[in-house]
Amino acid sequence: MTDAAPTGEITGRRRRSGAATIYDIAELAGVNPSTVSRALNQPGRVSAKTEEKIRKAAADLNFHANPMARALPTGRTHTLAVVVADITNPMVFGVIRGAERAASQAGFTLVIAESQESGSLEAGTIDNIAPSVDGIVLATSRLPDEEILRLAQRKTIVTLNREVDGIPSVISDPAPGVSALVAHLADLGHRAIAYLGGPSRSWISGRRWEALMHAARERGVAVFEIGPNSPTLTGGEAAFERAHASGATAVVAYNDLMAIGLMRAAKAAGVSVPDDLSVVGFDDVLGDLLSPSLTSVHADLTGMGTRSVARLLAQLGANGSHEDAGPITTELVIRESTGPSPR
Amino acid sequence: MTDAAPTGEITGRRRRSGAATIYDIAELAGVNPSTVSRALNQPGRVSAKTEEKIRKAAADLNFHANPMARALPTGRTHTLAVVVADITNPMVFGVIRGAERAASQAGFTLVIAESQESGSLEAGTIDNIAPSVDGIVLATSRLPDEEILRLAQRKTIVTLNREVDGIPSVISDPAPGVSALVAHLADLGHRAIAYLGGPSRSWISGRRWEALMHAARERGVAVFEIGPNSPTLTGGEAAFERAHASGATAVVAYNDLMAIGLMRAAKAAGVSVPDDLSVVGFDDVLGDLLSPSLTSVHADLTGMGTRSVARLLAQLGANGSHEDAGPITTELVIRESTGPSPR
DNA sequence: CTTCGCTTGTCAATCGGTTGCCAAACGAGC
DNA sequence: GCTCGTTTGGCAACCGATTGACAAGCGAAG
């Protein structure tokens, strides 16, 4: 009698969690674990019959490869990160949504990290997550260029609305929307436009201002910048005084949040929007909810999220490289906050 | 001559990424790798002198332990997930922000997953991320109770605004806010209140309705429910007709988004808020931005996010268990959308 | 001076996959 | 029937950390 043959005891490999491993599959299918690995990852490497058998066993056991174990030898984690300055900024929601979708479609997991508008915190956050992700989208980075370049040496990086030499980026080109915006305001009789700038570290704020200047010059409209400001409700409120004093009949804010803050301050001061003052935002994330609803330069934020992840995946050599080059376009959405110039 | 001693060639361990490993530290400090591990993770296990030396070496090399490699033997990934039905629901922003903060403070990474309001997709999403996280917060789950119980067997779970037998949860108790709300409306002369319910799968919508009924009974005010509705702007808009036809002079919506939709439809129909109709929301996420601004039952969403992560960590035995028990309270925030009853 | 007991560091196995290398098996062509 | 070339599957090392078991080192007590 073979008392070395146990009745029903543990096979020697202790089960930590309920998850099935390739060893379980191998046993069930009667093959070597390495054969299981090949069958599942390298199509054609094993015979069709064996592969079929293994796939069936995997399905029976509801097998999901442990991402950690897989990441160790390959160095690829199948995880991407989006780093944002401020999670509560509605602009990032759309980006995150698009990124999440593109990532999960490619079998990648998305991690969100917040740097709370602080450059040093951002660097620390990135250091923390870097080892466990394959690539990073810097959505609203406040880091200096050289720091981004340094990071890019260690990790695949894509920037959003930020141009750094040699780093792939996804940019929403403000020109089309701004051009339509200035035309719209000029048609309404406005002759002086104020721009409420965003944070000085924001690359895209500068681009928006440039586009505005350019379009205004072409139309013969005066523009001037007021700023920098905090890209928040409070920032917009705080800037109202100066904007109003400037004599501008239309104010273009760096983003919707600031525009809303401005409208609020205007209301408190008894200034009517749009009768006394026209207000415009950027990003078009909230304009629809307000009353008066907000005219805004719309960008396809979801598309930007999707595309930034696609760029990342392309760099990683992960998927069909349908190099969708070129900047993302913007368009004007006219709502109630813009009206004829009072003058 | 010892030609076995190479001049400056590779030490045998190839460097995959730039990241330093405990082997590098061990070499630099002249100790065994396992000593490095203990020095960094088990305070007191090695002599103060050795620990000091090792910490210095680690700092010199800018060492960050590879989370994957660490997760493999321990089974602990130092990652938590928040699963939400819809990323664009502003209610989840606050939750995510709080959760992110609590997690990163404890040295954990946060993963956000979206189930797009679909129960089956939610289950699939969770299956996907489960192997790589230590615990999961179900923020707005649409899963049936038994499914959640099944998941809880495999993974540590905390629910948010959802009570399932035996599962730890973080609940915002609507009673205090609702009680104040009904008092407020009664004082304004309202005698009939309509409640616009949320999705039928939403546990918290039922709780809010119950609290409303209870408070209304005590005050001798009539209430009735209209629903279920989609918890969105559109859902609120669509419900306006019925709400208005009901003869109620005040409408309480399941959340702010629906309240805003309702106000919009009211405006389009020439019904003035608050003169003809008082409108109230829940969660207090957007009310401040609108005009008229929205009266809402405020819940500390950030606190809920923080607390749900704390619960998770406590269950995982990860941090100081300051069992902050008891539901989260709510309070009424009175703004412009409520006024005297027109009757 | 010896022994005991405690501290401190080392060895080696392990987590769950991946992959280079090699050998067995198999089919085809002579 | 034999040889050759190609599939196909197995063995074992490896990724970077953790950890149980154990031995060396050390001081103190007898």
Side-chain angles (χ1 to χ4, degrees), chain B residues 179-190 280 295 332 334-335 338-339:
Chain B
S179 166
L181 166 63
V182 173
H184 169 62
L185 292 176
D187 287 351
L188 289 169
H190 294 276
V280 181
T295 296
L332 179 66
I334 299 173
R335 296 207 186 81
T338 44

Side-chain angles (χ1 to χ4, degrees), chain A residues 24-338:
Chain A
D24 300 321
I25 299 178
E27 195 177 350
L28 186 60
V31 297
N32 190 283
S34 60
T35 305
V36 175
S37 173
R38 279 194 258 262
L40 299 177
N41 302 318
Q42 305 180 24
R45 179 63 176 73
V46 304
S47 73
K49 216 177 50 157
T50 312
E51 181 173 339
E52 163 68 16
K53 202 166 54 182
I54 288 173
R55 288 205 180 278
K56 183 173 177 330
D60 285 354
L61 295 172
N62 187 28
F63 172 76
H64 284 245
N66 182 327
M68 307 290 160
R70 165 179 281 178
L72 206 39
T74 60
R76 312 214 35 210
T77 64
H78 290 252
T79 300
L80 303 177
V82 176
V83 179
V84 302
D86 177 7
I87 288 194
T88 62
N89 182 339
M91 178 265 182
V92 310
F93 304 150
V95 172
I96 289 178
R97 166 164 249 184
E100 215 280 334
R101 243 156 242 193
S104 74
Q105 200 157 26
F108 278 65
T109 302
L110 196 73
V111 174
I112 319 288
E114 188 187 20
S115 64
Q116 297 167 40
E117 291 280 356
S118 142
S120 59
L121 220 63
E122 184 172 345
T125 304
I126 293 173
D127 270 354
N128 270 333
I129 58 170
S132 40
V133 304
D134 291 339
I136 300 178
V137 177
L138 295 180
T140 49
S141 183
R142 306 286 184 245
L143 294 176
D145 282 13
E146 53 269 26
E147 185 79 5
I148 293 180
L149 285 166
R150 193 181 62 75
L151 284 171
Q153 291 185 325
R154 298 192 296 138
K155 216 77 201 177
T156 306
I157 291 210
V158 168
T159 57
L160 210 78
N161 271 357
R162 167 83 177 253
E163 218 162 53
V164 179
D165 229 32
I167 309 280
S169 58
V170 175
I171 308 282
S172 70
D173 177 14
V178 166
S179 166
L181 166 63
V182 173
H184 168 61
L185 292 176
D187 287 350
L188 289 169
H190 295 276
R191 289 290 164 263
I193 301 175
Y195 174 69
L196 297 191
S200 54
R201 284 281 185 69
S202 168
W203 183 86
I204 191 70
S205 179
R207 287 297 307 272
R208 289 174 179 175
W209 164 237
E210 281 167 19
L212 194 59
M213 263 197 304
H214 184 76
R217 198 180 313 127
E218 284 199 332
R219 289 268 168 181
V221 176
V223 287
F224 45 90
E225 182 173 11
I226 299 177
N229 302 283
S230 159
T232 59
L233 215 60
T234 321
E237 276 179 331
F240 169 73
E241 201 75 51
R242 279 179 297 162
H244 192 48
S246 75
T249 56
V251 180
V252 178
Y254 160 65
N255 69 12
D256 276 6
L257 236 39
M258 287 176 64
I260 293 170
L262 188 82
M263 284 168 66
R264 233 208 233 173
K267 191 177 181 192
V271 173
S272 161
V273 174
D275 297 338
D276 302 331
L277 186 70
S278 286
V279 176
V280 181
F282 267 96
D283 293 340
D284 189 29
V285 287
L286 290 172
D288 215 15
L289 303 182
L290 314 174
S291 87
S293 58
L294 181 67
T295 296
S296 190
V297 176
H298 176 93
D300 178 13
L301 297 170
T302 307
M304 291 178 71
T306 308
R307 194 181 285 195
S308 55
V309 164
R311 279 276 168 84
L312 227 36
L313 292 174
Q315 274 195 274
L316 294 168
N319 74 340
S321 53
H322 42 84
E323 268 304 327
D324 45 358
I328 297 228
T329 190
T330 53
E331 62 188 78
L332 180 66
V333 178
I334 299 173
R335 296 209 185 84
E336 299 165 359
S337 66
T338 43

Side-chain angles (χ1 to χ4, degrees), chain B residues 32 34-35 38 45-46 50 73:
Chain B
N32 190 283
S34 57
T35 304
R38 278 194 254 264
R45 179 64 176 74
V46 303
T50 313

Side-chain angles (χ1 to χ4, degrees), chain B residues 1-16:
Chain B
M1 55 188 79
T2 62
D3 52 30
T7 48
E9 72 192 29
I10 305 151
T11 62
R13 177 167 293 276
R14 69 156 174 258
R15 182 59 56 80
R16 187 195 307 284

Side-chain angles (χ1 to χ4, degrees), chain B residues 188-202:
Chain B
L188 289 169
H190 294 276
R191 289 289 165 266
I193 302 175
Y195 175 68
L196 297 192
S200 53
R201 284 280 185 69
S202 167

